[in-house]
Amino acid sequence: MSKGISSGDDGRPDVNDLEGDNEWTQLARKHWSSPVKSRRVKNEVVKNEIWDVLENGGFPFRSLLILENLQLLENYLWPGLTDSSTNHHVLLIALIATVKNRENLQVWDTFTSDGERFSSLFRRVLSMSLDSSLSAAIRTHILSFLISAFQSLDNGLIRKECAPLVSISVWHYLSSEAIRERKFEQHAPLKKAWRAAARKFDSADEAAQAKLRFDRAWLYSLMLDFIGRLQESSTDNVVYCERFLEFLTDIESQLPTRRYVNTLIKDLNLLSFIRLSPMFHEADNGLFRDLFVLLRHFVHFPVDDNTGVQHTQVQSYEEHCARLARLQRVSLKNFKEKLTILALSNYAAIDKREDLEAHLEPLSDAELTSLSDLLGFRTRYPPASKVDVTRALLIETLLSAHERRRTFRELISHLNVLPTEAALYEPTLLRNEHYDGSRSLAIPKLNLQYLSVGDFLWRSFVLHRCESFFEIRKDIEETTKRLRPQEIRLPDKVRFDGFSKMAIPISKPAQTNTNSPPRIIEAAPPKVGRDTPAFVRAEVGLDVSRLAESVRREWESLRQDDVVYLLAVDPAESSRNLTNGHAAHATSRDFGIRYLRAAEVEQVLDDNGRVICDQVDSATNGYVARPRLRRLLVKLDAAAYKTDNARKSEGQPDVYESINLIVRRRGRENNFKKILETIRSLALSDIPVPDWLQEVFLGFGDPTSATYTKMPNSISQLDFRDTFLDWKHLVESLPDRVVESSSREEANIKPPFILQGITTASSERPRPSKKRRRDDDDVSQPAPKSIRVSTYRPPNNGPYPTDAPKTNQIRFTPVQVEAIMSGTQPGLTVIVGPPGTGKTDVATQIINNIYHNFPSQRTLLIAHSNQALNQLFQKITNLDIDERHLLRLGHGEEDLETDVSYSKHGRVESFLDNRGHYLAEVDRLAANFQAPGAHGNSCETAGYFNSVYVAPAWSKFWDHANSEDATTSDIISSFPFHQYFSNAPQPLFPPDASRDQILDIARGCQRHIERIFTELEDIRPFEILRTSRDKANYLLIKEARIIAMTSTHAAIRRQEIADLGFHYDNVIMEEAAQITEIENFIPLALQNPKDGQLPLQRVVLCGDHLQNSPIVQNLAFRQFANLEQSLFLRFVRLGVPTINLDHQGRARPSIAELYKWRYPKLENLPNVLTETEYLRANAGFRYEYQFIDVPDYKGTGESQPTPHYFQNLGEAEYAVAIYQYMRLLGCPASKISILTTYAGQRALIRDVLGHRCASNRLFGLPRLVTTVDKYQGEQNDCEFTSYELLAVAVLMIHWDADIILSLVRTTRVGYLRDIRRLTVALSRARLGLYILGRRSVFETCYELREAFAKLFERPNQLLLTTGELFPASRLLGDDVEATEMTGVEHLGQYVYEMTQAKIESLETGGVQLPPVEETPEMMKVDAEQDREDLVGEGLEGDGQPEPEGIDGVT
């Protein structure tokens, strides 16, 4: 068995492991049960009782997890570390830190308290990494620790230790000075850096020089040791070498660490050693070979290591040719007799491995060595390294240096985005499925920095393709398993005994009216430069006669470009290959899948060949004939078709004749092809990032360089319109600046305000020199900057109430104002919005300011979810923004709670509706002039009418009104539109109005009329354009100024939108911390470049990296590849300036305290301190928040009917009982929501509600039952929480929209140990929070101690107050007697008695019970989602048993 960390098959520790009497808990109680700042550690305990036990057991991961949960590191190892601590002590710290990193926990926070002591620890770890006396397994753990460190270079403590290890000093170990001088010639600043390093060494004392020598030699020594290890293929050694390749790949994939190391790797010929090693050629070492390929990719990535500029295709080829030319010159000059042909050949004849190797074959070993020396390749190694320079090594070095390698663009272009069985079951992909952290993976990581935009896109494409194929394979396997294929005696026949609504079996056609395998209709010839058919069209017949109506309609609703999967299933294959359990790497044959081909739907036809979507159901005497046949017109995967044809021509079976099953996937999960094609097209197109954002995006240079104070085009004067409510608000919002008014009477100045001198207000203090920094106290503080304020009178827009502009009513805080000012300016703005701090309101005001200050600019709004986007859009519609400039793209528009449709077609219809309204106004104007003719017939005739009648009338009026002798009565009498404005509020001109007031009213009337003709001029194109598609596209590219869509819609439609010529100037992203990095990037590139640049001026990111991150299901992609990283989080890690909103107005201050430890500067807005609802107690509850310890219900805690489908019946019953209790107190059902962290618990809670409440007119159903992840961004007064992964159920009660949140888990904390999820759960509640859970689980969790400390200060049993009804009159601080609920049975009996009393009271009073409330629409949608989840988990249909507790709940 390997001595590495085990795979964890023995299970993860639960609460019994952490509180029982096993050896580890006994040791913890004895030596480190309580946290201290310093502790005396007994070396014999570390060695004999911890280290030896772990080492003898092969370092079992379960034991390491228990020790980590028991806080061995925080309470014992780190406090007790001294200079005299043993190596075993240091190694244990490295081990536990590695476990924390593997569990995705904070690793380095523990060490920040003592940087000097950590530096000593790190140096010792580095020294032990070179200790050859340690076993390979131990050195692997050390290497894992160092990998974690090099992935955390955003931490100053880590960066200080790691930077010297990869500095220019490593060039001391290059093979010759000539190589170093050549590098200096290529980039002059390198020589300056080299001299600075030499001066630093010369000026250091002896101890410092020893440290510098170690630093520059460490990586070189580690590489030489690695080269020596390549000859041994023991399991432990292979695992170590795999980790070392991962370590080198991490270094090579970031420019600051690769800058000097890449030259050293090439100089050592490391890749040649790896390729020639026995380990590389061992058949079982596929992972090692894949890691080598990944390392080679980064070593040869086409980027300038010094400047970070990516080479173009032409530059890369020119460099390749230059290397070949140098080889030819040297060959001709020194080896003319043997290498003349090589020297005279064209480049294409010598840049292939086999060709070049044949040319070099005549050279002797000595001549090969001489040639390598002349070309600058290393041929000598230190004797101590015992490295042999063989002929094979020299040839391999020459070949690898001069062969033509495919660029990353060529690699991407050859990767198919449609899966086949070979792609789905590729060994590299299968390794990712069973990732547990014990081995490396050969997939790229999303790091803190990227080599180039192309590098970022390549990594994103590879990772998203792997993730998509993983999800497809799981769905295909699940569907195939549910169909239960059986072999029958007839040749090539399969019987499917099961059923899945996601699949339809296909049999060979016996007649024309039946289902059939794909029939190829047309295969188009390849396009120029391609070798695959342009398209392959086929027809698939489907027998739908036995399908339920709902299932048939789902198949008929397949849309164009939806991907379906054609399978050839052979159960005989699975019976031959499957054993008791899965093999290490399954194959498609293990699941009976012989072939899999993907196809894109073009049309769905009925049996008469008519398109389904064009038909209307026809009924005869009320009877609708049951359809029998549907035909799918599909486009097959052209690349796979070409390969299949080649196989067929070689005599192998026809793949398409073998197809016997068609499978579909849910639409929201099946958009992978469009997204992958978008990423690939961006990678192949050299799409640029705006110059001002490039370095910050890649992670280089000054992280503050993209903020507006550093931007050359920052704007010194801006109109902030209704951002400030009054002068006092303005002054309060700028506390660090001197506000100067252009008026003497400041108190009388009213908004709108124009601010001048904004850009210098936040300018940063210049960085002092090194000498000055030594005495920082002497540096004078910069004087406060002044802002000059002016105002103006808003123009009169007309006499009608609808002409009055909508204004902002929110009194923004100073930090919110800072965010608004930054977002309105050009540049990058990152806004961190803790729960309830109003980041959506801030984003809305930024949009409003941009809209009015820059009328020619267009703004793109992006959010992760339709829900968040709709919330933002609804607030925008409440501001002074013309609705004709708003556009909402995607399928979430129908959920907008507005009376107007903002979709493309809805906007077109709105324009046409407005056309009728405005043309009617033109007719009224014509009546005003008594002008004959059909002036309101069209926009064109209206324009003529304006120029002939209206404009001259205004001109004549203003000539008279502006004359000096015109009196007010003359002006009024000469006003030419009295009749038209007769329906306006009267009198139009007040009798006591002054001349200026009358003129102002007249100008308002003119603006009102001008707006009619302006609108008609904008509508005129919609009269001319004929098709609805043309009208919608015109609206997008010409008319709309604020365009909203989800990040997914942007990824799917990117090419289509860009090809229309769509352009925009600003991007504002809501929920930016919940969007994957590639989904953050694509909206920045949703337009084609202009003059080689993207014309973006502003990027505003709003989010909270301390709440939920992007959801990635696969552990390998989430943790190893860091695919859950968002651009928002990476910017925060890089040190990009953030604006942290610091006042919350959502929750009671006492509830906010539960998560304030995550936001130390978070304060409360006045409304939560003074408003009545926050001061009143929750009716019927003693406390506003409480943790209730819930024991097992009927002997059972959490259950898991299928993997990862967690449920807890006791918590579900408790949650529903509290919901019933709240309803009996009078809280409306429409204001109560129930949240949970698991789909399984959501289904269980809904089922309990269905049995207890749905048909009971006293209760009804709550407004919403959903998961916490879907509820981020929402809020409720009363929240009931049951945390499924935590052995806890939390009831967060919101009086207004009460929320119930269930935690569920009763054995271990689970993923809520990720404090981001806990933060979301705790911060949804406004007025009440009642947490149901297992206290013993949370008391032992180190990461959650801050949150639960306050909860545990109160009693563990739910305390209720009697005699109260909603809303309560009692104040929160009032002392009152309470009744203790001892458990769910007690609460259930209490609710039952209240229910009986309520019914009796109603009957006695002759009061009718209220009608049963209709199920809310959102509940219906979520119920369907539950059904799909149950089907997907095998819990519904097909004879599968339902989970215990779902049926028969009493």
Side-chain angles (χ1 to χ4, degrees), residues 416 418-425 469 595-598 637 640:
N416 201 353
L418 289 174
T420 63
E421 77 282 354
L424 292 185
Y425 288 89
F469 283 14
Y595 307 115
L596 182 146
R597 297 293 178 265
D637 181 355

Side-chain angles (χ1 to χ4, degrees), residues 1 20 51 57 84 120 127 180 213 229 354 378 417 457 470 472 606 649 824 851 853 864 913 934 1027 1080 1311 1321 1448:
M1 171 179 177
W51 178 263
S84 60
S120 174
S127 299
R180 192 162 55 239
R213 285 193 198 94
R229 288 180 172 272
E354 55 275 12
R378 181 190 286 264
V417 297
L457 291 169
F470 163 78
I472 290 170
D606 66 7
S649 64
T824 308
Y851 176 84
N853 278 278
H864 170 64
D913 290 343
T1027 67
N1080 283 128
Y1311 75 65

Side-chain angles (χ1 to χ4, degrees), residues 553-564:
R553 290 194 177 276
E554 288 181 15
W555 280 95
E556 292 175 348
S557 64
L558 287 172
R559 295 175 296 178
Q560 186 176 5
D561 296 332
D562 280 353
V563 179
V564 294

